[in-house]
Structures are given as C-alpha cells and as structure tokens.
Amino acid sequence: MSVSPLDLSKVRHDLRGPINHIVGYAEILLEDEALPADLVGDLERIRSGGRRLIELISHYLDEHRLQTETIEVARLQHDLRTPVNHIIGHGELLEELAVERKLDQFLPDLRRIQQAARTWLGLMEELLMPLRHPDPADTVASGPVLRPTLSFVTPPAGPPPAPCRGRLLVADDDASNREILQRCLTRSGYTVTVVADGLEALKALRARAHDLALLDILMPGLDGYQVLIRLKGDPEVADIPVIIISGFDLGSGIARCIEAGADDYLTKPFNPALLRARIAACLEKKRLLDQERALAAQVGEEQARSERLLLNILPAPIAERLKQGGGTIVDALDEATVLFADLAGFTGLAATLPAPDTVQLLDDIFTRFDRLADRHGIEKIKTIGDAWMAASGVPEPRPDHIEAAADLALEMLEVIGDLRERTDPPLRLRIGLHAGPVVAGVIGRHRFSYDLWGDTVNTASRMESHGVPDRIHVTSAVAGRLAGKFEFEPRGAIPIKGMGVLQTHFLTGRKAT
C-alpha cells in the first residue's frame, strides 16, 4: 500500500463531509420540538447510520491496517454500502410520511439527508476503491474485523439549557456545514456569522468583535491553520478562542493546530452536545481571562496612581529605593546648592485677600516655581508657609548644580515680575543661595518627606532671610564658583545671625556671551 498518511487523511476528510451533513441535519430535526414522536425512531436510525459510516471509514482507512492487512473488497463494499442504503431508505420513508401529513417544514432537511447519502456513495466509488490493496486476490477470505460500535454522547435529558450569549464566527467552505453549524448554534442562543473562506474569516474577526471562531481546516485561499497562525500573531484579535472543526483527522495536523494556539479540535461529524459544551468551556475560559486582565489593569492603574503620588512627595531615585525596600535613606553629598525663596510681605497681602484667593495665589506662584525646577532638573524640597525651598545636585550629584540653581533663581524673579500687577501691595520675592555639603534623607513613617540638613542649608536660609526683596542674595562661595558666567554685585560684609560677619553678593544676571 503506497498511500501517504496525509493523502489518507484527506480521503477520510472528503468522505466525512457528506456524513457530517447526514448526521448534522438529523441532529437538527431531532432537536426540533415540532417533530412528531413516530418520526424520531427513523431519524435516530439515520443518525446511527451516519456514525456507523464514520466508524467504518476509521476502521478500513487506518494507515497501519492498509499497510499490513489484505482488504477484502467485496466485504468492504458491503460494509460501507449497507449503512448508507439504510439512510437512504429511512430518509425516503420519512419524506413520504412528511408529505402525507403535510409536514412541509421538515422536507428540505430530509431531502438534504438523502442527497448527502447519494453523494457519499459516489465519493466512495471515486476515492475509496483506488486505495484498496493491489493484490488481485480481492476475494481473499481474511476480511477485516470491525471494531465495536463507538458510543456517542447523548444529549442530556431534561429541560433545554438556558440560552447562551456570545458572537461566534463559523468559517467553512462547505455551504451545508455552514448551515448546520449556524442553525445548531443559533438555536442554542448564539449570534452566528458565517463565512466561506479563510480570508473572509480574518476580515470578519478584525472588523467586528467576536467571542469565538470555529474554523474548518481545508478551505480555499487561506486554510484554517493559516487563519489560526495569523489570528494568534495579531495582538488585536489573538485573544479570540478558536475551535478547529474539521473532517481532517491526521494526528500530526491536530497537534499542529493545538500548538499554534487552537483551544480545541473536533472532527466532523460533530456531536452537537459536545460542540456546545466545548464552546461553553472556551467562552467561560475567555470570560475568566478577560476578568483577570481587567483586574490586572485595575491593579496596574492603582499602582501607577500610587507611584504618581509617591513621586509628588519624593525624588524619583529615592522613591525607587523605597520601593526596593532600601530601609533608612540617608545620603551625604559633598556638593549641592540650596535655594530658599520667600514672598516678602505676603502676610500683609494675605490679610487683604479672601482665604480662597490667598491659597489660589500661592498655588499659582509655587506651581510656576515647580515647573521651572523641573525644567532645570532641580529638586523642589518643600514649601513652608509662603516660603519655597529647592536643592540642586540632589539626590543625584551634578557638576553644574550651582549654575542651574542660579538660572532657576533668575527665572523665579521674572515670574514674580509677571505676577506683580495682580496684587496690591505688589508681590516681591527674596531669594538666598549657598553651596556646599549636605545630608539628605527621608524622615518619618507617616506623611514622610525628603529633606536636607547641614550648615549649607542653614547658610542658604540665612541668605534669604538677610536678603533684600527682588534680589538674589548669595555667599562668596557661590559668587566665586560662578564668577566667569554670571554678574554679581558685592554687598560687602554683613552680620549674619548665628554665623558672624560674612562677605555676601547679589546675583544680578548671566554674563553676556
């Protein structure tokens, strides 16, 4: 026997097509509540005949059997023709009864059953006989032993299940298969879209949301396997469950589909109850997966919200260290610049304004300062009443920390200048700068904050408090480091509370380049 496994599977597939129609239409009629009871017996015999044919095909067209056994052709023809002749016979009887009783609604399906049976007889002669063993001794008496009849799942008795919900896509090039599946699934409560080839299936799945796809394997243009591959490779539609339903029964092909992402594989003719159960299982799995993803997205949004809140309190590197469980965070930095700013006379101004206007004005001013600090890469530390504090070179050191702080201070004065006309008395800002070593860290467990400590912080604060409105008061250390790039106006030696007499300067602007 020289038939390849693939060719053999294709022959089995082709032969199962008409049988699928026989069993499918019989199942539809048997599920029709209007079917008279005395017609049920013959329809069940038709359904059993179709399933018997499937058994015989599996028995005779088994690759190993064809390789190792001699097939008695006469027995083969007898075994295969007997069930189909019974199907045709029962079908004719039922058609006569339906005509006599004027049960016209059943006639189209009964005639489809008979037509499928006759089509199958033609296919058997065309496809099956060439596969027989070439041994001329067709009459060898070692006929094959048939397997016991397979037991099929019987639909459970009792009331019909509650209507199902979901939009399903059926892709099958066989019009009768499409109709059987559509009627079966629509009757179960699903909304069903049918297409005739793989390209139409992909287009439909991408154009409109579907909950599940039922794909045939052998289709023109794009077969079911190719549709499956493209579907699973497209993030927009990859989550749609896929059930392959085909007469193609080659084991390697089934495994290939499962490996490619198919959720299930059913061979034709399908058992309606089993198909519905598989669909329900897939849809339930998808529902749980969707629910899990929605929860994960919700958790992600909450985490992002928490992180945004954390970043409003702490510098990003410090927040990351806290999330990593870094314990107590204390850093000694050799070089940083500290800036203090205070709205001169704001207390008197606030006394003339309604409380909401006072808060709104402060929020407007400090929001502008915050944006400037972000633009210069400077860390805003905190606000204290109408004072604002920032540091350059923390928590990550940077070589230009003094220069960046000087630029920020100059732009803060410009901001106040722009807002000055909004208030009476006019807004005025006093700024102090100093550079040097600082200790930085996070303190507290509730409403914790990132803060700085050390002489540098105290000196910068003194520069602000001993400064002059609308001027940037800096130490000699700052002026000396920026001498080549900025303009300064010496203030001379002045007494600084707690620090004695210091030489200080006013930063007046950048030097022209």
Side-chain angles (χ1 to χ4, degrees):
M1 186 68 209
S2 59
V3 180
S4 72
L6 182 60
D7 289 338
L8 196 58
S9 183
K10 286 180 177 177
V11 170
R12 289 195 295 263
H13 168 273
D14 291 344
L15 286 172
R16 283 172 174 161
I19 300 173
N20 183 49
H21 302 169
I22 294 169
V23 176
Y25 285 119
E27 295 279 5
I28 287 175
L29 288 169
L30 284 168
E31 291 180 354
D32 195 320
E33 295 178 355
L35 183 73
D38 58 341
L39 270 62
V40 170
D42 283 336
L43 271 172
E44 287 180 337
R45 293 184 188 94
I46 288 174
R47 182 174 61 181
S48 297
R51 291 171 174 171
R52 177 66 171 170
L53 281 174
I54 292 294
E55 293 174 6
L56 292 171
I57 290 170
S58 299
H59 172 79
Y60 280 118
L61 298 189
D62 176 80
E63 181 189 358
H64 177 73
R65 183 180 297 279
L66 288 173
Q67 294 283 0
T68 59
E69 296 184 15
T70 299
I71 304 298
E72 182 184 354
V73 172
R75 177 65 178 273
L76 173 67
Q77 291 175 332
H78 171 270
D79 287 349
L80 292 179
R81 281 177 176 148
T82 297
V84 79
N85 286 334
H86 291 170
I87 290 169
I88 294 173
H90 288 300
E92 290 173 346
L93 287 173
L94 287 171
E95 183 181 352
E96 289 176 8
L97 284 172
V99 171
E100 287 174 8
R101 299 184 190 182
K102 301 187 183 306
L103 300 170
D104 294 344
Q105 71 271 32
F106 301 123
L107 287 175
D109 287 344
L110 291 172
R111 288 167 181 160
R112 290 185 183 105
I113 289 172
Q114 295 174 67
Q115 181 58 43
R118 294 188 178 96
T119 300
W120 190 88
L121 277 175
L123 279 175
M124 184 189 75
E125 296 295 337
E126 178 186 348
L127 299 175
L128 192 55
M129 292 302 106
L131 294 177
R132 65 185 173 86
H133 196 283
D135 190 337
D138 282 346
T139 57
V140 172
S142 57
V145 177
L146 301 181
R147 291 186 302 170
T149 302
L150 291 176
S151 60
F152 286 79
V153 176
T154 303
C164 304
R165 296 183 184 278
R167 179 176 292 280
L168 313 183
L169 177 92
V170 171
D172 198 312
D173 63 330
D174 186 294
S176 294
N177 282 343
R178 292 198 300 274
E179 182 189 0
I180 291 170
L181 278 167
Q182 185 175 30
R183 289 171 60 180
C184 173
L185 298 174
T186 301
R187 183 178 292 171
S188 298
Y190 295 110
T191 302
V192 182
T193 304
V194 294
V195 295
D197 62 55
L199 287 174
E200 284 187 54
L202 270 182
K203 185 178 178 183
L205 290 169
R206 286 169 174 160
R208 186 169 186 175
H210 286 82
D211 298 299
L212 183 140
L214 292 161
L215 303 179
D216 188 17
I217 284 291
L218 299 181
M219 292 189 288
L222 204 64
D223 64 33
Y225 181 72
Q226 291 172 311
V227 174
L228 178 64
I229 293 294
R230 295 195 187 187
L231 202 62
K232 296 304 174 184
D234 183 345
E236 296 293 326
V237 288
D239 292 341
I240 298 176
V242 174
I243 295 178
I244 302 294
I245 179 165
S246 172
F248 197 63
D249 65 347
L250 193 63
S252 59
I254 296 173
R256 193 177 173 211
C257 288
I258 298 298
E259 289 171 355
D263 295 80
D264 214 331
Y265 195 111
L266 291 176
T267 55
K268 298 173 183 173
F270 61 88
N271 180 283
L274 182 59
L275 175 64
R276 284 192 288 265
R278 298 282 180 85
I279 290 174
C282 285
L283 292 179
E284 177 63 9
K285 188 168 69 173
K286 182 176 185 293
R287 186 187 69 78
L288 293 173
L289 183 61
D290 290 345
Q291 189 177 57
E292 183 181 345
R293 287 178 175 165
L295 287 172
Q298 186 177 352
V299 170
E301 289 175 4
E302 290 298 325
Q303 286 180 332
R305 182 169 173 271
S306 297
E307 289 189 9
R308 285 196 297 273
L309 290 173
L310 194 60
L311 290 175
N312 282 336
I313 299 172
L314 300 174
I318 300 300
E320 187 61 31
R321 285 165 62 181
L322 274 180
K323 285 192 295 182
Q324 299 300 325
T328 303
I329 295 177
V330 178
D331 295 322
L333 299 160
D334 294 336
E335 275 284 340
T337 300
V338 180
L339 180 153
F340 278 92
D342 184 74
L343 290 166
F346 189 81
T347 301
L349 173 62
T352 67
L353 297 174
D357 292 351
T358 302
V359 175
Q360 182 62 47
L361 178 60
L362 272 179
D363 180 65
D364 186 12
I365 295 169
F366 289 162
T367 297
R368 295 184 188 216
F369 289 174
D370 291 348
R371 289 176 183 156
L372 287 177
D374 287 342
R375 197 165 58 133
H376 287 284
I378 291 175
E379 201 63 46
K380 178 260 190 85
I381 302 299
K382 59 186 173 184
T383 60
I384 311 163
D386 56 7
W388 188 85
M389 175 187 176
S392 178
V394 297
E396 303 292 337
R398 55 186 286 184
D400 63 342
H401 59 91
I402 306 179
E403 185 175 340
D407 283 331
L408 171 62
L410 290 169
E411 292 178 20
M412 289 170 68
L413 286 183
E414 292 176 6
V415 166
I416 294 301
D418 293 339
L419 296 174
R420 186 161 293 149
E421 293 182 357
R422 287 174 48 178
T423 62
D424 184 19
L427 282 171
R428 306 191 73 181
L429 186 68
R430 202 168 51 231
I431 298 176
L433 285 180
H434 182 54
V438 297
V439 173
V442 176
I443 56 173
R445 288 295 179 268
H446 301 289
R447 297 191 181 90
F448 50 79
S449 65
Y450 181 73
D451 212 337
L452 305 179
W453 301 272
D455 287 342
T456 300
V457 177
N458 297 333
T459 303
S461 177
R462 293 287 187 273
M463 289 297 103
E464 176 272 312
S465 60
H466 289 72
V468 175
D470 301 328
R471 307 299 298 268
I472 303 168
H473 192 207
V474 304
T475 59
S476 295
V478 171
R481 296 279 292 275
L482 296 179
K485 296 181 179 179
F486 290 81
E487 300 282 356
F488 291 93
E489 176 185 322
R491 190 181 185 187
I494 63 169
I496 302 295
K497 182 180 178 181
M499 295 183 175
V501 176
L502 298 179
Q503 291 286 341
T504 64
H505 305 259
F506 290 120
L507 170 64
T508 58
R510 262 191 177 271
K511 282 190 173 180
T513 57

